[in-house]
Amino acid sequence: MIKSENRLRKNKHFKFIYRNGETKVCNCLTLVYLKTKYKPFKVGFSVSKKIGKSVIRNKVKRRLREAFVSLYKNINKKYNYVFIAREGIENMNYWDIRNNMVEILNKSGLYVENN
């Protein structure tokens, strides 16, 4: 579970990251990231109504959150992140979502493999 100090909650924070951050795109995810000035990094997840009804959107958000928790130790903690789900993600299982998340973090250079 993501700690409450690491969650993006307010709409103005999401908008600030959208406006000023850098974007990387994968086949089912978009990542917007921005260097943070404050100690605890923040992460947010966005799922549009285009994805499906509320049950499907919540399921996708739960899978995104859980995939991020599994990658928590390997990410650069000097950035704030917003993961945006794209159409097609509702048909993917947890492992596919996690692999796409690793791929998009690698593209942006924010994923560090720990052996």
Side-chain angles (χ1 to χ4, degrees), residues 15-26:
K15 284 183 180 177
F16 182 78
I17 293 173
Y18 290 147
R19 226 177 303 117
N20 301 315
E22 294 181 47
T23 305
K24 295 291 179 195
V25 179
C26 192

Side-chain angles (χ1 to χ4, degrees), residues 71-77 102 105-106 109-115:
L71 302 173
Y72 175 80
K73 293 177 184 173
N74 298 334
I75 63 158
N76 189 339
K77 296 186 178 50
V102 168
L105 285 167
N106 276 330
L110 301 171
Y111 187 74
V112 180
E113 289 278 344
N114 287 346
N115 292 335

Side-chain angles (χ1 to χ4, degrees), residues 2 7 11 13 16 18 22 31-32 37 39-40 50 55 60 63 68 70-71 79 86-88 100-101 106 108:
I2 300 171
R7 289 188 207 145
N11 193 24
H13 296 153
F16 182 78
Y18 290 147
E22 294 181 47
L31 171 64
V32 183
K37 297 177 184 176
K39 187 66 172 172
K50 292 178 185 177
V55 174
V60 168
R63 286 182 177 172
F68 185 81
S70 71
L71 302 173
Y79 288 85
R86 300 175 76 194
E87 289 185 60
N100 278 305
M101 199 174 275
N106 276 330
S108 58

Side-chain angles (χ1 to χ4, degrees), residues 48-70:
S48 167
K49 287 188 177 182
K50 292 178 185 177
I51 301 297
K53 298 201 182 267
S54 62
V55 174
I56 302 297
R57 290 193 308 267
N58 288 328
K59 183 178 178 181
V60 168
K61 271 193 206 175
R62 283 193 306 270
R63 286 182 177 172
L64 285 170
R65 275 192 228 111
E66 199 55 41
F68 185 81
V69 167
S70 71

